[in-house]
Amino acid sequence: MALHIHEAWILLFVLPGLVTPAAINHEDYPADEGDQTSSNDNLIFDDYRGKGCVDDSGFVYKLGERFFPGHSNCPCVCTEDGPVCDQPECPKIHPKCTKVEHNGCCPECKEVKNFCEYNGKNYKILEEFKPSPCEWCRCEPSNEVHCVVADCAVPECVNPVYEPEQCCPVCKNGPNCFAGTTIIPAGIEVKVDDCNICHCHNGDWWKPAQCSKRECQGKQAL
């Protein structure tokens, strides 16, 4: 009886050494919950196509979620085909904008010129100026120059004079008109030769003078 007990103990010490690691089936030993969770997470992050969307920082969004892919992007909705993003009609940037920020869906002008440029000169906002005697201009808040040109009346003479720093011409010798090539004053009859007496039209100084023939002095002498 003692012999059998001794042999049994020998078998118990020998058998564990005969069992190799290859003989252990890992499927018979389920992994810990932590290992399972880690494995599933890696699958989602590594292959998210059709299952989610990823932003620029690597954050994953579920299908149907609304998100911003990046700091300056427009909002998107995650779909099986990838992000479907809004394309709003952004306001136009002013052509004279000097500082544009792209911190949102649409670019935004943060700084514009505080002056206007006109004929090579700079003018402050709301400043008024005269580029020429007949022009009156103002620098608008939009950085654009708006000008008004004076409308001069028709001069009452055929020989108007432009004075320095004056917009419209002036008739220094008063109203007059042409009788042929001769300039005659308005308001009086002028004998331009031995046979013709002329005068200007009333109010229409730019028209040729009206002339009438009289008896010529030469004929009277005969």
Side-chain angles (χ1 to χ4, degrees):
M1 185 68 175
L3 179 61
H4 291 295
I5 293 173
H6 180 72
E7 292 175 352
W9 278 105
I10 293 174
L11 291 174
L12 289 175
F13 283 107
V14 173
L15 286 175
L18 296 176
V19 180
T20 62
I24 299 176
N25 189 348
H26 290 282
E27 294 180 357
D28 296 336
Y29 299 90
D32 294 337
E33 286 188 15
D35 294 339
Q36 286 182 334
T37 303
S38 176
S39 176
N40 291 335
D41 288 346
N42 289 335
L43 177 62
I44 292 175
F45 277 87
D46 291 342
D47 188 11
Y48 58 85
R49 291 170 297 179
K51 301 177 182 179
C53 302
V54 178
D55 63 11
D56 291 349
S57 62
F59 192 87
V60 178
Y61 295 85
K62 297 178 182 179
L63 296 179
E65 279 192 299
R66 191 175 179 85
F67 69 103
F68 288 86
H71 181 64
S72 61
N73 294 96
C74 296
C76 302
V77 175
C78 182
T79 69
E80 292 185 355
D81 297 326
V84 176
C85 303
D86 295 340
Q87 296 295 331
E89 186 175 349
C90 295
K92 294 182 179 180
I93 298 295
H94 195 280
K96 293 184 179 180
C97 183
T98 57
K99 183 179 180 181
V100 180
E101 287 188 359
H102 299 273
N103 291 329
C105 181
C106 292
E108 185 178 358
C109 181
K110 290 297 184 180
E111 184 177 332
V112 295
K113 289 182 179 179
N114 59 353
F115 60 89
C116 301
E117 297 180 25
Y118 189 81
N119 290 340
K121 295 183 179 180
N122 296 338
Y123 300 92
K124 297 178 181 179
I125 300 297
L126 301 182
E127 181 180 357
E128 299 178 358
F129 58 97
K130 295 186 68 174
S132 69
C134 289
E135 288 181 286
W136 175 86
C137 302
R138 186 173 76 166
C139 176
E140 301 294 341
S142 61
N143 299 106
E144 297 178 351
V145 174
H146 289 172
C147 296
V148 176
V149 180
D151 186 12
C152 296
V154 177
E156 296 182 347
C157 59
V158 295
N159 57 346
V161 177
Y162 284 88
E163 296 285 356
E165 302 303 321
Q166 287 188 351
C167 173
C168 299
V170 294
C171 296
K172 299 189 73 172
N173 298 318
N176 54 38
C177 64
F178 275 118
T181 57
T182 303
I183 297 176
I184 61 174
I188 60 175
E189 290 187 346
V190 177
K191 188 174 182 179
V192 295
D193 55 31
D194 292 338
C195 300
N196 294 293
I197 295 178
C198 302
H199 68 276
C200 296
H201 291 269
N202 292 328
D204 297 333
W205 316 113
W206 61 91
K207 293 182 178 180
Q210 288 180 321
C211 298
S212 59
K213 287 189 176 183
R214 302 286 177 91
E215 289 186 7
C216 299
Q217 290 181 356
K219 290 183 180 181
Q220 291 178 351
L222 296 172

